Amino acid sequence: MERVIVHVDMDYFYAAIEEREDPSLKGKAVVVCMYSNRGEEGGAVSTCNYVARDAGIHSAMPCRKARSIKPDAVFLPVRKEFYEEVSESVMEILHSSADKEEAFEKVSIDEAFLEITETCDGDFDKAQKLGMEIKGEVKKSERITCSVGIGPNKLIAKMASSFNKPDGITVIRPENVQEFLGAMPIKKLWGIGRVTEEKLTEMGIVTIADLADRDVMELIDAFGKNRGTWLKQSASGIDESPVKERTSSDQIGRMASLKHDTRDEKMISELMDELVDSVMSKAVARNVVFGTVTTTVIFSNFKTSTKSKTLTHAVSDKDILNRNAMEMMQQFLRESTLNFRRIGIRIGNLQERTGQKSLFDFYGVNACQH
Ligand code: DCP
Ligand code: MG
Ligand code: MG
């Protein structure tokens, strides 16, 4: 069966979050700046919304220049930690749409690949439907938009997601890959930088189709074996690299929707059992113990709240995880009168498990809250 790969990239991510948080920004040019230690004078644009882009502002431009282009734009400082939190919620939604736990690869704070071959039976019409559902779910729970690309491999999915931005979805079926790539200029091929672009231009290669038509030996002569072969394959739309989890991550998390919005503790606890099982089986597979437990609730009005506990000792114990998670759920219930829409659990501060289950595992319940 042909693989079906999805790539999701959030639209003007940092600026979109700022717009969401402050509705008065709507319609204005919003520029998020990474200020240097020279204060507001130095610094570069992290990102900006599409109103600012239309005026000619873009990422990496000096903030001072952006200011001179559009003095009436709203300039805001980067709030990285806050964006990381939003990113985690988005990633949990995306992760839960993948074929399986391992079929997910976060690429950066605002983008990820997921494989959905099994979920959609290799059918690109079903894949498109699923892509729309993912977009809907992200929009509903985070109130920001993303662009989705779907294709037979990561290369095509990645290029498809940037084809129609913002809030787009582009599905490239295997039979349309050549047509999709062919007419594009070579600089659009994912992985081609300015140096390669210049060298290819000197060789008379302008479009991706030109590159695909070149003899592989000629490309190897010019770029070496690996790069030459890679250029030929990519230009032909071939990419066999798997979607795979980057295991360096220091956290394992799961999130899911309740059958309907509710405050029923039994329903919440049943779903939490499932999430705990899933997180624990992954912790066991990775042979790690955890030092923190974090839970998240998305309420019926889409507001998100998070609680965290640091355990006195790192453990790998399902009961401890479950008990801590449910204590936090009870606190959420006490603090708000809203229904719960989605709940999530995450373990962090992971360390490799050494030897037998220690006595600490039994005393890990003496958790302190922070
Ligand atoms: N970013 C940054 N500095 C850069 C590029 C990006 O700090 N030079 C940050 C801000 C972006 C986020 O990373 O919001 C994601 O990068 P993207 O390239 O995906 O850009 P955006 O999401 O902002 O816009 P787009 O709608 O084009 O994806
Ligand atoms: Mg983006
Ligand atoms: Mg991105």
Side-chain angles (χ1 to χ4, degrees), residues 9-16 32 34 44-48 50 53 59-61 78 80 83 108-111 147 158 165-166:
D9 188 287
M10 304 306 296
D11 301 320
Y12 59 102
F13 189 49
Y14 295 2
V32 180
M34 177 72 95
V45 173
S46 228
T47 194
C48 57
Y50 282 71
R53 287 181 201 196
S59 288
M61 172 184 276
V78 166
K80 189 78 188 286
Y83 310 146
S108 77
I109 191 165
D110 89 325
E111 62 193 278
S147 295
K158 166 86 185 175
K165 248 183 175 298

Side-chain angles (χ1 to χ4, degrees), residues 161-318:
S161 75
S162 55
F163 189 72
N164 185 13
K165 248 183 175 298
D167 204 12
I169 178 164
T170 303
V171 181
I172 306 297
R173 291 164 173 73
E175 62 271 26
N176 298 330
V177 164
Q178 295 304 331
E179 181 195 352
F180 173 64
L181 290 181
M184 288 191 204
I186 37 158
K187 70 162 182 253
K188 292 259 174 168
L189 188 62
W190 184 33
I192 290 200
R194 233 196 40 232
V195 176
T196 308
E197 183 195 354
E198 274 167 20
K199 206 160 162 183
L200 288 169
T201 311
E202 276 169 25
M203 294 166 72
I205 296 171
V206 179
T207 64
I208 297 179
D210 294 342
L211 182 56
D213 286 343
R214 275 304 157 106
D215 188 278
V216 70
M217 290 317 291
E218 190 189 340
L219 296 171
I220 288 174
D221 278 346
F223 294 93
K225 188 157 182 283
N226 285 343
R227 184 88 175 145
T229 321
W230 176 85
L231 282 168
K232 173 82 179 173
Q233 287 206 332
S234 299
S236 316
I238 299 167
D239 172 21
E240 279 168 5
S241 65
V243 172
K244 63 164 185 282
E245 225 164 347
R246 309 201 172 174
T247 45
S248 61
S249 122
D250 188 38
Q251 300 193 328
I252 301 172
R254 292 305 273 156
M255 181 167 239
S257 296
L258 291 144
K259 282 197 192 76
H260 54 81
D261 294 3
T262 184
R263 291 178 53 79
D264 181 60
E265 198 177 319
K266 186 155 169 278
M267 265 185 81
I268 294 168
S269 130
E270 277 168 12
L271 182 57
M272 187 54 83
D273 277 350
E274 285 176 32
L275 297 177
V276 163
D277 274 349
S278 161
V279 164
M280 274 308 297
S281 64
K282 212 165 145 196
V284 169
R286 277 178 57 182
N287 197 30
V288 288
V289 293
F290 53 90
T292 61
V293 179
T294 303
T295 57
T296 302
V297 174
I298 299 179
F299 294 98
S300 51
N301 65 353
F302 299 113
K303 275 274 169 233
T304 304
S305 269
T306 296
K307 287 187 192 297
S308 232
K309 268 187 181 180
T310 301
L311 306 178
T312 47
H313 303 282
V315 296
S316 174
D317 186 303
K318 192 166 137 183

Side-chain angles (χ1 to χ4, degrees), residues 13-24:
F13 189 49
Y14 295 2
I17 297 170
E18 296 296 349
E19 271 185 10
R20 171 188 90 178
E21 293 302 303
D22 179 359
S24 78

Side-chain angles (χ1 to χ4, degrees), residues 329-358:
M329 288 297 124
Q330 284 150 2
Q331 269 179 329
F332 281 122
L333 281 169
R334 283 196 295 274
E335 288 167 9
S336 165
T337 54
L338 289 167
N339 281 329
F340 290 17
R341 175 182 162 78
R342 287 172 70 83
I343 58 172
I345 182 161
R346 195 165 64 238
I347 54 177
N349 210 347
L350 305 181
Q351 296 152 38
E352 199 163 327
R353 193 192 176 101
T354 47
Q356 291 284 306
K357 186 171 177 172
S358 77

